[in-house]
Amino acid sequence: MALKFVCVEDYEKHAAKVLPSYALEYYRSGADEEQTLRENRDSFKRWRLMPRMLRGVQNRSMNTTVLGFSVSAPFGIAPTAMQRMAHPEGECATAKAAAAHGIVYILSTIATSSIEEIAAAAPNGNNWFQLYIYKDRQATIDLIRRAERANFKVLVVTVDTAVLGRRLVNERHGFDLPAHLKLGNFNNVDEKSNFQTQKKEGSRLAAYASVMFDPSLTWKDITWLKSITKLPIVVKGVLRPDDAEIAVQHGVSAIAVSNHGGRQLDGVQATIDALPAIVKQVNGRCEIFLDGGVTKGTDVLKALALGAKMTFFGRPALWGLAHSGEEGVKNIIQLLKTEVDVAMALAGCRSVDEIDSSLVLRQELHSSL
């Protein structure tokens, strides 16, 4: 009898067996020595939980709101690129699973499904759009307008990609988008739709980013974005309190504490460690999200206790997608919902509002008690 998959790790191990090597390497890889990739997970373990007892937790709810939208759980699916490498339905399957569960789904600019395909697949979903700002500003504006017309709710602007981080396995094996796939948000005749025009050696995605993405971005470009759209803007990729302050001063709706899943500058802080100082600096003036290393319900609990309004995960959804498409992603979401519910009950929390900083303590402080 086949073993039942009971945690994200089970799905990850299965994905390692069934995904094509180029896809697995792309999804799994981090930058350079992958120190930050490892730390994103390991750092959660250094935050210890301090549960409350006898709190009458027979009735519990993890329902919450994010940027004014009701969601069924304090987590959502982060933008991950080129999901049709994992399953033929790709991002459409992921969006449908998120909509079925009532959580946020964020579509990547460099997805293998288009904005319009996502809108058709999950018309009632809480769909957000992740934006890379291209050197071609008209192309950037066109993406925003299409997201607006397709009823996407929020614009998530990635700010940590002046150039692409050095993902050594992708460089070594010359990562490229398979010939049967294209970037869904661009026409086939548009050079932005694939990597075929880029250099022949090394990662063609890195070459694509160096040619297409705008490395000249400054905070003035956030002001520019706010001038051309009424969508709420989330700045994704902030790790420093002073950058968080600048983001607040520029009127963003939320800050996503993120190191791009350990795929950009290696050696930066794990996001869970960067979170407390940013929460302190922002002091409630905008919402704060976190992604990076979230694979368990206790990870979600710890991030919320440290001040995040919402957490996001990317790779776990890919592992579910590789297993069985939409159903696999639904299973991943349900697993995490179950884990969050159990963690809340055992920590003495009946609602998300009861999760606070008294529930967590750094390992080195815990050991001195």
Side-chain angles (χ1 to χ4, degrees):
M1 186 175 70
L3 292 176
K4 183 179 179 181
F5 288 11
V6 297
C7 61
V8 167
E9 186 179 5
D10 289 344
Y11 283 89
E12 182 176 5
K13 289 178 179 177
H14 178 266
K17 297 176 182 177
V18 300
L19 281 173
S21 60
Y22 63 85
L24 180 65
E25 289 174 354
Y26 175 75
Y27 294 146
R28 265 190 171 178
S29 61
D32 294 309
E33 296 179 345
E34 299 186 337
Q35 176 188 352
T36 299
L37 177 68
R38 293 188 296 272
E39 280 292 297
N40 273 348
R41 285 197 184 187
D42 291 346
S43 289
F44 274 104
K45 300 173 186 177
R46 292 192 283 272
W47 289 94
R48 299 302 175 87
L49 290 166
M50 301 283 286
R52 310 181 187 105
M53 298 298 139
L54 301 177
R55 297 304 170 109
V57 293
Q58 70 273 27
N59 297 314
R60 300 179 302 281
S61 172
M62 68 183 77
N63 293 342
T64 187
T65 61
V66 56
L67 297 178
F69 301 106
S70 296
V71 291
S72 68
F75 59 76
I77 298 180
T80 53
M82 297 175 278
Q83 293 185 16
R84 290 185 192 265
M85 295 193 302
H87 187 273
E89 293 186 8
E91 295 86 357
C92 291
T94 306
K96 286 191 286 186
H101 270 287
I103 67 169
V104 172
Y105 170 68
I106 308 178
L107 176 69
S108 171
T109 293
I110 53 173
T112 41
S113 306
S114 70
I115 291 167
E116 292 77 13
E117 287 174 314
I118 298 302
N124 298 315
N126 193 346
N127 300 319
W128 298 7
F129 184 63
Q130 176 271 331
L131 178 71
Y132 286 118
I133 298 179
Y134 281 72
K135 294 175 183 177
D136 182 345
R137 289 303 176 96
Q138 188 55 54
T140 303
I141 293 171
D142 289 345
L143 288 169
I144 295 169
R145 295 289 175 257
R146 288 166 59 195
E148 292 169 338
R149 289 194 297 270
N151 198 32
F152 278 60
K153 312 296 186 187
V154 174
L155 194 64
V156 180
V157 184
T158 297
V159 297
D160 61 5
T161 315
V163 297
L164 208 68
R166 296 188 72 251
R167 303 159 196 177
L168 300 188
V169 68
N170 300 158
E171 290 290 337
R172 189 173 293 120
H173 295 157
F175 173 75
D176 194 3
L177 187 64
H180 70 283
L181 296 176
K182 72 178 188 69
L183 301 185
N185 283 316
F186 303 98
N187 295 326
N188 287 330
V189 295
D190 190 332
E191 63 178 352
K192 301 179 190 67
S193 70
N194 59 59
F195 312 146
Q196 299 304 311
T197 60
Q198 309 309 321
K199 66 180 183 179
K200 301 297 183 183
E201 296 181 357
S203 168
R204 285 193 173 182
L205 174 59
Y208 175 92
S210 70
V211 171
M212 300 295 178
F213 297 167
D214 190 348
S216 71
L217 299 180
T218 70
W219 287 102
K220 291 180 180 179
D221 292 292
I222 302 302
T223 302
W224 171 70
L225 285 174
K226 285 179 64 66
S227 75
I228 63 172
T229 184
K230 295 188 181 302
L231 290 176
I233 291 177
V234 178
V235 171
K236 181 180 186 295
V238 172
L239 292 170
R240 294 169 52 112
D242 54 354
D243 276 345
E245 178 64 35
I246 297 170
V248 170
Q249 295 299 323
H250 280 77
V252 302
S253 297
I255 293 167
V257 180
S258 173
N259 54 36
H260 214 109
R263 293 161 70 81
Q264 283 299 98
L265 179 62
D266 197 26
V268 302
Q269 272 188 302
T271 51
I272 193 67
D273 291 337
L275 178 62
I278 291 174
V279 169
K280 181 179 180 181
Q281 180 68 42
V282 171
N283 193 27
R285 289 176 291 168
C286 73
E287 294 186 6
I288 297 176
F289 310 148
L290 174 140
D291 67 55
V294 176
T295 60
K296 303 178 181 66
T298 51
D299 297 340
V300 176
L301 184 69
K302 290 173 183 179
L304 267 58
L306 290 170
K309 177 70 172 176
M310 180 73 50
T311 61
F312 289 88
F313 59 83
R315 290 183 178 94
L318 294 172
W319 311 146
L321 189 65
H323 179 269
S324 49
E326 179 184 348
E327 289 305 311
V329 181
K330 284 181 178 177
N331 292 345
I332 290 287
I333 297 168
Q334 186 56 57
L335 274 175
L336 283 168
K337 280 186 171 181
T338 299
E339 291 181 2
V340 171
D341 179 63
V342 170
M344 287 176 60
L346 294 178
C349 299
R350 294 162 293 188
S351 70
V352 170
D353 291 340
E354 293 184 351
I355 301 172
D356 62 30
S357 61
S358 72
L359 291 175
V360 286
L361 194 65
R362 281 286 294 186
Q363 173 180 301
E364 56 268 26
L365 297 175
H366 183 277
S367 61
S368 67
L369 291 180

